[in-house]
Amino acid sequence: MSVKIKPIGDRVLVKHVEEKEQTRGGIIIPDSAKEKPQEAEVIALGTGKKDESGKVQAFEVKVGDRVLISKYGGTEVKIDDVKYLLVREDDILGVIA
């Protein structure tokens, strides 16, 4: 998938993984009652964070990884009617195995 935005620095472009609309008991949850999802898929990586000596540090995540992100971190962007989130690598809490 090609996205029209390239993050810079230590930023990562992610897309929320949508939760199911229905619970196990068959109850349908309206959008207004849902919590912000914390699970996302990495879509694109920035150029990398630089250390004190100017050397670029490698990202700990890669495109396609499923990650857990801070609940209210990042900046939401909409491209071609699809919502993405730009987060710093520090806002990524972990990679889902």
Side-chain angles (χ1 to χ4, degrees), residues 64-75:
D65 280 352
R66 291 178 75 109
V67 295
L68 290 175
I69 55 173
S70 307
K71 194 173 247 184
Y72 298 104
T75 303

Side-chain angles (χ1 to χ4, degrees), residues 68-85:
L68 290 175
I69 55 173
S70 307
K71 194 173 247 184
Y72 298 104
T75 303
E76 197 172 278
V77 292
K78 193 172 184 178
I79 304 167
D80 296 332
D81 294 328
V82 179
K83 289 183 183 178
Y84 296 98
L85 196 65

Side-chain angles (χ1 to χ4, degrees), residues 19 29-38 71-72:
E19 295 179 7
I29 302 170
D31 288 338
S32 59
K34 289 182 185 176
E35 288 188 22
K36 280 190 152 191
Q38 289 182 273
K71 194 173 247 184
Y72 298 104

